Amino acid sequence: MYSVELKQVDKSYDKEQLVVKDVSVTIEPGEFFVLVGPSGCGKSTLLRMIAGLEDITSGSLLIDGKKADHLPPSKRQLSMVFQNYALYPHMTVEDNITFGLDVKKMRKKEKKEKCYEIAAMLGLTDYLKRKPRHLSGGQRQRVALARAIITNSPICLMDEPLSNLDAKLRAHMRSEIRELQRKLGITLIYVTHDQVEAMTMGDRIMVLNEGVVQQVGKPIDVYNTPANPFVAKFIGSPPMNLTTGLVDKNSSKITISKEISIPVDRLVVNDTNSDQVLVGIRPENIKIQEEPSSLDLSFAVTIDHVEILGTETLLKFKWNDDSVWYAKWYGQWDIHVGQTVRLTLDPDSLCIYDGQTEKLLQGPKNIQHQHIREGII
Amino acid sequence: MKSTAEIQEKSINKIDLKWRFIHWRSAILYLLPSIILFSVFLFYPLGKTLYLSFFLTDQQGNANVFVGLENFQYILQAESFHKSIKATILFVLYTVPTGVIISLFLALLANEKIRGVGIFRTIYSSTMGISVAASAVVWLFIFHPSMGILNQLITSIGGTSIDWLLHPDWALVSVSITTIWMNIGFSFLILLGGLQNIDDHLYESAKISGASYFYQLRRITIPMLSPTLFFVITVSLINAFQTFGQVDILTQGGPSESTNLIVYSIYREAFVNYQFGTASAQSIFLFICILIVTILQFKFGERKVHYQ
Ligand SMILES: Nc1ncnc2c1ncn2[C@@H]1O[C@H](COP(=O)(O)OP(=O)(O)OP(=O)(O)O)[C@@H](O)[C@H]1O
Ligand SMILES: [Mg+2]
């Protein structure tokens, strides 16, 4: 179990444009760390720099507390699973799995034992004599996993290992990889562009955009209090609803679309320089207006689209200068397209971002942590 | 009940046959252009050669007297033909392995991602663009006993000059060197193409495992390149068996028949000695040799080849 530390790491391929900018993060030993971001944001580049397949333009990399910038890939004590698996097509599954041990000149018998042990763990025993091209995508994926973990490296890097699989298999492999990591206790750095994978697998996640770190933290914290509008839009499906609001510093209120004015803390309002803010709310925190309350945050909208997903109902509507918003309610709601409904915002669930700097001014106050009372069964 | 089933089966068979005929007919139609081309330029000459090899011919190459297998008996006993076979085998052994190994080496060098590597790629493949005649003439100058750059180089470092093309022991080596040089361009280009088709991720993965360059070469590059290597070896072999131009320009089969390769021998038999019968017999012999070598190669070589 080794830690990996990045210190102000920059990367540029053409000496002009920075693909990765000033990334600093410490990945703890035994942690499942997920790098997530849209396509082209530099995730693979960052991972390849950790692996030693790309040079670091500036900054430094520490593995297990020791400087590792100039170590060759083989000396960094890590293994890697590539996006296209990079299995050797001319070798059998067994040879593929043991390649790393061949290099280390391990004894034949020991090698075989180890290979069978890992193959049994990943359900590959029946396929050991086959060539990779005679395997299904999921099986190939497991061969790639087996090849990575057989070397007992304390660090494992994975670059979008599930992106070639169908949705069902992906969900299955998610938990399988997670369990494997727990069992082996390795430090795992996992790259994905899929926010569901990031949310469900990581101990911590790092959201990256255009080479810049947006937020690092526990998935649930990132979900509840996104550090900026980008993260708010990127994490969560459907994304967080955002719209612009105007700040009135005298009465410390934020008005949205003339109908709604939200009272906020004076300190929050004083923090901002511009008179515009972005107000965000998760779709599940938009409720139907039932009885008028003292603080009226209700508004009427026309529903554009309805999706009933069995356990929940998703509504799409446009509001306040054509921002597209979603509301998500538990249960199956009988609402049809074109219907006008009156909705209300939960005042404690709002995220407020500065209109210029896009910094978080105020996060939600009512984060729900539900606990099962012991002995309830 | 039973009879109706039988009738049905029969009629199905009939329809089946009809369809099979229609498929067969359209297949032939599609094949017709190649069949015509192959017939005119390949099957007809081959048949004619086989026919001639059983005859004594006049000066115009017309078949005169049927002699059965006598032409074959004759060539198999003739000492000059033995010499020619020996020279050809030696020539193949000199040129094919050396040529392929040098091309592979150059291709590996030119496949590295270094700045300016494009220049080297162009240089290495440039011999492909030079005709046999032109390059043979260039080498004729290089091998010239007194003015040739090769001998000048040797004498300048204190060696004794060599009669490259005039000494029976050296002539075949000289022709081989020329041939290797000429064939490198083609083999290089094909092998480089093969190398560039190998996925970079395989090497990256091997690097992380800690495999050295030569270990990667042995376990990844060569196996992944094997179909290309196999192709290059086959083509080089067939080319070597059929060498003619450089022999004609450099040595004319001499000195003392040491470079009288089979194709050159066939040419001499037919167009210098006007013995079309024995020349045809030699051609058939060469054809069978190449056929056997190629079949053997496919039978034994292909097992070791990995196809995607
Ligand atoms: N070898 C290279 N040379 C030049 N530019 C490159 C190279 N590799 C990547 N880039 C550029 O660097 C940026 C980041 O690429 P990277 O592969 O890290 O993205 P990514 O986040 O992994 O995207 P994806 O999710 O699509 O895999 C992209 O703009 C890409 O064009
Ligand atoms: Mg990538």
Side-chain angles (χ1 to χ4, degrees), chain A residues 4 15 26 28 68 128 194 196 200 203 232 270 315 319 358 373:
Chain A
V4 175
K15 294 191 177 106
T26 305
E28 306 293 342
L128 286 176
D194 180 358
V196 178
T200 53
D203 287 323
N270 284 345
L315 307 174
W319 183 53
E358 302 208 320
R373 255 188 296 141

Side-chain angles (χ1 to χ4, degrees), chain A residues 105-287:
Chain A
K105 303 220 165 55
M106 189 182 265
R107 278 213 321 279
K108 234 186 190 141
K109 196 161 155 262
E110 201 178 337
K111 201 165 69 186
K112 201 143 196 147
E113 268 168 22
K114 223 164 166 184
C115 175
Y116 278 93
E117 183 194 320
I118 302 249
M121 190 152 81
L122 289 168
L124 286 169
T125 319
D126 296 341
Y127 310 112
L128 286 176
K129 293 285 169 262
R130 289 204 204 168
K131 296 267 174 73
R133 84 191 120 139
H134 298 305
L135 297 179
S136 73
Q139 289 159 350
R140 277 180 217 180
Q141 210 273 335
R142 267 178 284 192
V143 177
L145 277 183
R147 192 172 66 172
I149 61 180
I150 199 170
T151 51
N152 269 340
S153 308
I155 302 167
C156 184
L157 312 177
M158 297 191 184
D159 192 353
E160 308 203 21
L162 303 185
S163 60
N164 293 341
L165 305 183
D166 68 65
K168 208 164 177 183
L169 193 55
R170 204 181 305 175
H172 172 70
M173 289 307 292
R174 277 209 302 262
S175 57
E176 206 157 291
I177 291 178
R178 186 70 237 238
E179 276 166 30
L180 201 64
Q181 184 264 345
R182 260 194 219 114
K183 195 151 76 185
L184 301 171
I186 49 179
T187 309
L188 206 156
I189 306 176
Y190 186 101
V191 163
T192 179
H193 62 258
D194 180 358
Q195 54 95 17
V196 178
E197 273 174 36
M199 288 292 294
T200 53
M201 297 173 85
D203 287 323
R204 278 195 307 157
I205 66 181
M206 174 160 108
V207 185
L208 215 61
N209 185 34
E210 289 175 354
V212 180
V213 178
Q214 306 291 317
Q215 190 170 7
V216 183
K218 283 197 191 127
I220 220 54
D221 294 342
V222 174
Y223 181 84
N224 288 332
T225 25
N228 56 40
F230 172 82
V231 179
K233 282 263 173 209
F234 189 77
I235 300 287
S237 162
M240 183 183 272
N241 301 303
L242 286 170
T243 193
T244 48
L246 291 173
V247 182
D248 182 359
K249 286 201 179 174
N250 296 328
S251 59
S252 61
K253 275 187 175 170
I254 293 169
T255 37
I256 309 172
S257 81
K258 298 190 194 95
E259 284 176 76
I260 296 177
S261 54
I262 309 160
V264 285
D265 203 325
R266 184 165 292 279
L267 291 172
V268 172
V269 183
N270 284 345
D271 268 359
T272 166
N273 309 325
S274 65
D275 51 1
Q276 262 204 355
V277 289
L278 280 170
V279 178
I281 186 164
R282 289 278 174 206
E284 58 270 27
N285 294 327
I286 299 176
K287 301 273 158 47

Side-chain angles (χ1 to χ4, degrees), chain A residues 40 43-45 83 159-160 191:
Chain A
K43 308 179 295 285
S44 298
T45 306
Q83 181 168 359
D159 192 353
E160 308 203 21
V191 163

Side-chain angles (χ1 to χ4, degrees), chain A residues 48 53 73-74 78 80 82 84 86-91 99 102-103 133 147, chain B residues 199 201-202 204-211 215 219-220 223-224 306-308:
Chain A
R48 290 167 59 81
L53 299 170
S74 56
L78 45 79
M80 185 161 174
F82 290 84
N84 61 359
L87 300 179
Y88 307 118
H90 56 287
M91 296 183 198
F99 187 89
D102 294 346
V103 174
R133 84 191 120 139
R147 192 172 66 172
Chain B
D199 187 359
H201 288 115
L202 300 187
E204 289 179 346
S205 179
K207 239 188 253 170
I208 290 175
S209 305
Y215 195 79
R219 296 267 332 248
I220 300 172
M224 292 296 286
H306 160 79
Y307 286 105
Q308 284 283 24

Side-chain angles (χ1 to χ4, degrees), chain B:
Chain B
M1 224 20 236
K2 197 183 163 197
S3 62
T4 50
E6 260 173 21
I7 288 165
Q8 266 181 352
E9 203 169 274
K10 256 191 188 159
S11 65
I12 285 170
N13 266 343
K14 239 186 199 162
I15 292 168
D16 216 35
L17 268 181
K18 191 181 154 202
W19 272 109
R20 225 183 273 173
F21 174 72
I22 290 173
H23 285 314
W24 187 80
R25 200 181 54 187
S26 42
I28 290 293
L29 268 174
Y30 279 115
L31 285 173
L32 205 61
S34 350
I35 288 179
I36 290 173
L37 275 177
F38 273 121
S39 306
V40 172
F41 294 107
L42 220 79
F43 300 139
Y44 172 72
L46 189 62
K48 184 82 190 213
T49 310
L50 189 64
Y51 173 77
L52 280 177
S53 68
F54 297 125
F55 285 87
L56 277 182
T57 55
D58 62 15
Q59 294 254 323
Q60 272 78 45
N62 298 319
N64 263 350
V65 189
F66 180 76
V67 291
L69 292 174
E70 246 173 56
N71 282 334
F72 289 95
Q73 260 174 11
Y74 170 75
I75 61 162
L76 288 178
Q77 281 161 6
E79 202 187 324
S80 74
F81 191 62
H82 289 173
K83 252 187 142 171
S84 172
I85 292 173
K86 201 180 129 206
T88 309
I89 291 173
L90 274 179
F91 179 75
V92 167
L93 291 180
Y94 288 164
T95 54
V96 176
T98 330
V100 171
I101 287 169
I102 293 176
S103 319
L104 179 62
F105 178 69
L106 292 179
L108 286 172
L109 284 184
N111 194 36
E112 293 296 321
K113 285 168 193 63
I114 309 168
R115 217 184 309 162
V117 84
I119 300 166
F120 289 95
R121 286 183 190 166
T122 316
I123 293 173
Y124 293 155
S125 53
S126 61
T127 61
M128 232 181 96
I130 305 173
S131 74
V132 175
S135 44
V137 169
V138 169
W139 280 91
L140 201 58
F141 282 111
I142 294 174
F143 285 135
H144 191 278
S146 55
M147 280 150 42
I149 189 161
L150 212 53
N151 272 349
Q152 282 184 3
L153 217 74
I154 289 172
T155 46
S156 76
I157 57 168
T160 48
S161 59
I162 296 168
D163 286 336
W164 290 103
L165 294 170
L166 303 175
H167 194 285
D169 292 345
W170 282 103
L172 192 63
V173 175
S174 309
V175 175
S176 300
I177 291 172
T178 312
T179 309
I180 290 169
W181 183 82
M182 276 163 34
N183 289 345
I184 277 176
F186 172 77
S187 307
F188 165 79
L189 214 61
I190 303 284
L191 288 174
L192 182 63
L195 283 177
Q196 289 185 332
N197 257 342
I198 302 176
D199 187 359
D200 272 343
H201 288 115
L202 300 187
Y203 294 113
E204 289 179 346
S205 179
K207 239 188 253 170
I208 290 175
S209 305
S212 68
Y213 178 80
F214 288 102
Y215 195 79
Q216 289 177 31
L217 189 68
R218 187 162 66 80
R219 296 267 332 248
I220 300 172
T221 311
I222 301 291
M224 292 296 286
L225 199 61
S226 57
T228 318
L229 269 174
F230 183 73
F231 171 77
V232 165
I233 291 172
T234 309
V235 171
S236 306
L237 257 177
I238 294 174
N239 267 345
F241 272 114
Q242 297 184 343
T243 304
F244 175 77
Q246 52 272 50
V247 176
D248 191 41
I249 291 171
L250 290 174
T251 61
Q252 278 96 43
S256 59
E257 299 193 348
S258 62
T259 58
N260 193 19
L261 305 183
I262 288 189
V263 175
Y264 196 73
S265 151
I266 293 168
Y267 158 77
R268 285 244 304 240
E269 199 71 5
F271 302 108
V272 179
N273 303 337
Y274 298 111
Q275 297 291 333
F276 291 99
T278 44
S280 300
Q282 287 190 13
S283 307
I284 297 296
F285 181 83
L286 176 63
F287 170 70
I288 291 168
C289 284
I290 294 181
L291 193 68
I292 290 171
V293 168
T294 311
I295 288 172
L296 284 181
Q297 214 192 344
F298 267 89
K299 214 166 155 57
F300 294 108
E302 197 151 56
R303 266 190 234 148
K304 296 206 174 67
V305 170
H306 160 79
Y307 286 105
Q308 284 283 24

